[in-house]
Amino acid sequence: MEANIACQSGICQDHPMNQPAPCCCPPLLTARLTSDELTRIASIFRVLGEPARLQLLNLIAAQPQQEVRACELVETLALSQPTVSHHLKVMYEAGLLTKERRGTWIYYGIVTDRLAELRSVLA
Amino acid sequence: MEANIACQSGICQDHPMNQPAPCCCPPLLTARLTSDELTRIASIFRVLGEPARLQLLNLIAAQPQQEVRACELVETLALSQPTVSHHLKVMYEAGLLTKERRGTWIYYGIVTDRLAELRSVLA
DNA sequence: CATGAATATCGACCTGTATCTATATTCCGA
DNA sequence: TCGGAATATAGATACAGGTCGATATTCATG
């Protein structure tokens, strides 16, 4: 059933959020959530509650390869390099972005499963 | 098509967010979003980025009638009455809750369409 | 190994907001 | 119309976090 599908990224687990976790994500509207679950889910929504970070997701998704070098993102956003780097770090640690070094550059991609989980939380 | 479904509550419109608006909500991953759209969507996610507010949604949804008197919520949450009132106001103004006075009490309910819009933004 | 480009970290500043107490407002019943 | 319960508002405080400049780190290249 929908309510107990497996959760791959640990929204409601006490794990580092950029690592897979074997748990389930109770939908907000159909299950009683514990204080820990509420805190954990809120922390992910808070990451999305920033225009600059939504713009990063939007820009990455717009690429055909679904990944972007950090320096390109810095050029596009009207923010300083440290600020963009900070946002990327926050999103990576929230499990929303992948991160891969290739030579000089670091490529960021979107963890679509993570967004799918959030959708299921709202279902 | 999914990408251009009507948006009933104005996530991406410059309207009071607790009023209906005739617009569409571009999915974050498949459309270029304007700065205004990003700001507006972020403001709604920010509302959800608070454990106390998620708990309110969770409590309201748990009721068979799908609505709760504010005083009951105050009794349940470990927060002062003004703080709960503040959170309810924020959620109401974000279009996430309905609000109806019935005698002495004020009943809050969940705007499920609003949550559905957020899901479509993440799709 | 030195240089420069890309990225991350540090420390400081400042705004936003969650929270409280105190008080105001609104409504119903006696 | 008066008193009390329910809710909202106001004002103050404290903390989280977004932002920046400066600096450190990492890597490819000559």
Side-chain angles (χ1 to χ4, degrees):
Chain A
M1 60 171 68
E2 178 78 11
N4 285 321
I5 58 174
C7 165
Q8 298 303 320
S9 303
I11 284 182
C12 36
Q13 283 291 62
D14 196 10
H15 292 168
M17 282 195 278
N18 52 348
Q19 294 177 10
C23 77
C24 67
C25 306
L28 190 57
L29 304 186
T30 61
R32 290 266 183 179
L33 300 189
T34 67
S35 174
D36 282 352
E37 288 168 340
L38 292 168
T39 299
R40 175 163 284 265
I41 296 172
S43 72
I44 302 180
F45 279 126
R46 191 160 46 237
V47 172
L48 294 179
E50 193 66 24
R53 293 198 277 255
L54 292 184
Q55 187 178 8
L56 289 172
L57 283 179
N58 198 228
L59 287 172
I60 298 173
Q63 302 296 322
Q65 328 84 280
Q66 294 287 100
E67 59 179 8
V68 183
R69 295 193 298 264
C71 58
E72 290 186 64
L73 296 169
V74 170
E75 287 171 7
T76 306
L77 268 73
L79 291 171
S80 70
Q81 179 269 324
T83 298
V84 173
S85 182
H86 165 70
H87 285 312
L88 290 170
K89 179 182 182 181
V90 168
M91 296 175 75
Y92 172 71
E93 290 180 345
L96 289 166
L97 293 183
T98 61
K99 177 184 185 177
E100 185 189 349
R101 171 147 235 150
R102 254 179 264 154
T104 305
W105 300 300
I106 294 185
Y107 289 78
Y108 284 93
I110 296 177
V111 180
T112 52
D113 284 353
R114 195 67 159 159
L115 298 180
E117 287 170 38
L118 284 180
R119 271 188 285 123
S120 77
V121 166
L122 295 176
Chain B
M1 61 173 66
E2 180 77 12
N4 285 321
I5 57 173
C7 163
Q8 298 303 321
S9 303
I11 285 181
C12 35
Q13 284 290 62
D14 195 10
H15 292 169
M17 282 194 280
N18 51 350
Q19 294 177 10
C23 78
C24 67
C25 307
L28 191 57
L29 304 187
T30 61
R32 290 266 182 179
L33 299 189
T34 66
S35 173
D36 282 351
E37 288 167 341
L38 292 168
T39 299
R40 176 164 283 266
I41 295 172
S43 72
I44 301 180
F45 279 126
R46 190 160 48 238
V47 172
L48 294 178
E50 194 66 23
R53 293 199 276 256
L54 292 183
Q55 188 178 7
L56 289 172
L57 283 179
N58 198 228
L59 287 172
I60 297 173
Q63 302 296 322
Q65 329 83 281
Q66 295 287 101
E67 59 180 6
V68 184
R69 294 194 298 263
C71 58
E72 290 187 64
L73 297 169
V74 170
E75 286 172 7
T76 306
L77 268 72
L79 291 171
S80 71
Q81 178 268 325
T83 299
V84 174
S85 183
H86 164 70
H87 285 312
L88 290 171
K89 179 182 183 181
V90 168
M91 296 175 76
Y92 172 71
E93 291 180 345
L96 288 166
L97 294 183
T98 61
K99 178 183 184 178
E100 185 188 348
R101 171 146 235 152
R102 255 180 261 153
T104 304
W105 300 302
I106 295 185
Y107 288 79
Y108 285 93
I110 297 177
V111 179
T112 52
D113 284 353
R114 195 69 159 158
L115 298 179
E117 288 169 37
L118 284 180
R119 271 188 284 123
S120 76
V121 166
L122 295 176

